[in-house]
Amino acid sequence: MLKSPKPLAAAIAVAALGAGMPGVVMAEFLADSKATLELRNFYLNSDYRQEGANQSKRDEWAQGFLLNFESGFTEGPVGFGVDAIGLLGVKLDSGPDRQNTGLLPAGDDKAPDEYSQLGATAKARYSKTTLRVGTLMPKLPTVLPNDSRLLPQTFRGGMLTSKEIDGLTLHAGRLTQNSLRNTSANEDMLVAGKGISGGQASDKFDFASASYRWSDNLTTAYNYGHLDQNYRQHIFNLSHVLPLGDKQAFKSDLRFARSTEAGNTNVDNDAFGAKFTYELGGHGFGVAYQAMNGETGFPHLNGTNSYLVNYVMISADFASPGEKSWQLRYDYDFAAMGIPGLTFMTRYLRGDDFDGPGGRSGHEWERNTDIGYVFQKGALKNFGVKLRNGTYRSTGNDIDQTRFILSYTLPLL
């Protein structure tokens, strides 16, 4: 449960305020409201094959319930609204020697039977600028909440988004608390990243970003992040789509990040990434290259995804100090064959030139395969099935992993 009722109280106060307004003022608040219930059934098995592994297997099965509500805004120069989220995870199968998959909280002896969280967000809109305060799930290069398990990671804080100028999107805000994907607690934030030391818990993560869409095919962006007493980060990225004719396109995604220490950490990292994809009908042929330079790996908030082109399933980010890595990827959308909803993906990555265990030269590789289907109509519309399989080998770890996910999203409003 939430440690503090402040965000929920703020949201209730907004709703109560709106309830006292005339019906015409509340018209858009109610008409634009929407709610969904997502059911997510998740099985994950990790088999650790290296000699002397601390845990030979992680194997859990759980059921998640994700209730989302988003109101519209009251009418008038300044519109007010409220969003709410309710999360519940239920253990279906686990064991003292099989926990720590990330699906459920890890207990001293065994995973608890369930865990939950309730969050609310008060919001206000003026023109094309919106302020949100409470539970947040921002999706920015400097902070990407993880949603790869049973329940999503959330934050507390405030965030301002402005789109007053056509093509330009601005974000600014501060996060104060972090709730990881497999916990009910809200805690201070920590820095994560390979080779990083000296970090300390902080309740201040400031961020700002500017993204400009020059045309339908070209977008550039700058993002800034600062975790107080831990690190500062500047991220630049460019994405471009080059149409090549009927059902063909060439996509480019270029990224550069400069991260430095703030406080007593040793953060020092330059990260470069380039990803190119050629699309032909339902086919997608991709290649990516990533290089880490500096004394440490890429820093990010604990529990979040790294904004890197080689961030993948098991090894995460191929971002050890000095590491160079590349990726080959193939996607196919079976809609091109008349089977909409069926998709396939496979990729292979390899990283080298970093310090491995015992001072040895480090290398690692990973192979992932996904196949999924989402029903498009009928009684099972929106019901999805996905099978993910991955193999990871390195100078320190050998892991085989399988994930099986069933999901269903039910519109309530």
Side-chain angles (χ1 to χ4, degrees):
M1 300 298 290
L2 293 175
K3 287 185 176 181
S4 168
K6 290 182 180 179
L8 181 58
I12 293 174
V14 171
L17 178 63
M21 296 180 179
V24 66
V25 175
M26 291 292 292
E28 291 188 11
F29 179 95
L30 298 174
D32 294 339
S33 295
K34 57 184 180 180
T36 60
L37 175 63
E38 181 183 352
L39 307 177
R40 189 180 295 179
N41 189 281
F42 208 123
Y43 170 75
L44 191 149
N45 176 288
S46 285
D47 187 2
Y48 294 80
R49 294 178 170 269
Q50 71 271 20
E51 185 177 350
N54 293 328
Q55 188 174 353
S56 62
K57 180 182 290 188
R58 296 179 182 179
D59 184 271
E60 291 182 311
W61 179 30
Q63 174 68 49
F65 301 86
L66 298 79
L67 178 64
N68 280 283
F69 170 78
E70 295 182 16
S71 79
F73 290 90
T74 59
E75 297 184 30
V78 179
F80 296 94
V82 60
D83 298 339
I85 184 170
L87 305 173
L88 172 64
V90 179
K91 179 177 68 178
L92 299 178
D93 183 54
S94 182
D97 58 342
R98 296 184 288 121
Q99 59 179 334
N100 258 326
T101 63
L103 295 181
L104 300 163
D108 294 334
D109 180 39
K110 62 179 181 178
D113 292 335
E114 63 181 44
Y115 66 107
S116 62
Q117 186 173 124
L118 176 66
T121 308
K123 58 186 182 182
R125 182 180 66 187
Y126 175 76
S127 184
K128 297 181 181 179
T129 298
T130 304
L131 173 66
R132 290 178 169 84
V133 178
T135 298
L136 302 173
M137 288 188 285
K139 294 182 180 180
L140 299 170
T142 51
V143 50
L144 286 169
N146 186 287
D147 192 18
S148 64
R149 294 294 194 275
L150 191 68
L151 302 177
Q153 180 181 18
T154 63
F155 291 89
R156 285 182 180 177
M159 178 176 178
L160 186 72
T161 301
S162 179
K163 298 181 179 180
E164 299 293 340
I165 300 175
D166 289 345
L168 178 65
T169 301
L170 303 174
H171 297 287
R174 169 176 288 183
L175 303 180
T176 59
Q177 294 282 282
N178 180 6
S179 180
L180 300 177
R181 63 191 181 189
N182 63 333
T183 180
S184 299
N186 286 276
E187 302 174 338
D188 287 349
M189 294 160 286
L190 298 169
V191 59
K194 296 172 181 176
I196 296 175
S197 61
Q200 63 182 65
S202 174
D203 62 358
K204 296 178 182 178
F205 178 79
D206 296 321
F207 61 91
S209 73
S211 173
Y212 189 73
R213 190 177 182 89
W214 300 88
S215 69
D216 290 341
N217 299 324
L218 176 63
T219 301
T220 58
Y222 164 73
N223 285 265
Y224 170 78
H226 172 213
L227 181 59
D228 188 45
Q229 298 300 309
N230 286 273
Y231 70 92
R232 287 186 175 86
Q233 190 171 69
H234 306 270
I235 300 179
F236 305 85
N237 64 283
L238 178 152
S239 59
H240 181 259
V241 179
L242 177 64
L244 297 175
D246 185 36
K247 298 182 180 179
Q248 295 185 63
F250 185 78
K251 295 183 177 181
S252 302
D253 183 354
L254 304 178
R255 308 178 187 183
F256 175 76
R258 172 60 178 157
S259 306
T260 57
E261 58 83 21
N264 296 319
T265 66
N266 63 336
V267 173
D268 173 32
N269 175 265
D270 288 341
F272 170 77
K275 180 169 64 174
F276 304 100
T277 305
Y278 172 59
E279 295 184 345
L280 174 63
H283 303 276
F285 304 91
V287 60
Y289 175 77
Q290 180 175 292
M292 298 291 118
N293 294 293
E295 298 300 317
T296 71
F298 183 83
H300 57 99
L301 295 179
N302 63 310
T304 62
N305 298 342
S306 297
Y307 187 68
L308 297 170
V309 296
N310 282 347
Y311 183 89
V312 289
M313 178 176 167
I314 302 176
S315 63
D317 53 15
F318 284 77
S320 292
E323 185 171 6
K324 309 296 186 295
S325 59
W326 54 269
Q327 174 185 170
L328 294 176
R329 173 170 172 156
Y330 172 72
D331 293 81
Y332 188 70
D333 186 342
F334 285 83
M337 295 178 57
I339 314 176
L342 181 62
T343 57
F344 172 82
M345 183 280 295
T346 187
R347 63 191 169 200
Y348 176 84
L349 302 93
R350 183 178 176 90
D352 296 284
D353 299 333
F354 61 95
D355 291 335
R360 293 176 293 169
S361 176
H363 63 270
E364 56 184 346
W365 64 264
E366 181 168 338
R367 181 177 60 246
N368 305 147
T369 301
D370 289 6
I371 185 165
Y373 181 69
V374 177
F375 288 84
Q376 304 295 297
K377 57 184 179 180
L380 293 178
K381 184 179 180 180
N382 298 325
F383 178 69
V385 181
K386 177 171 284 189
L387 176 64
R388 308 192 70 188
N389 180 263
T391 301
Y392 173 72
R393 298 290 184 268
S394 74
T395 48
N397 294 295
D398 296 341
I399 307 170
D400 293 339
Q401 188 176 104
T402 299
R403 306 178 188 181
F404 185 63
I405 309 158
L406 304 177
S407 62
Y408 179 68
T409 300
L410 176 66
L412 302 178
L413 287 178

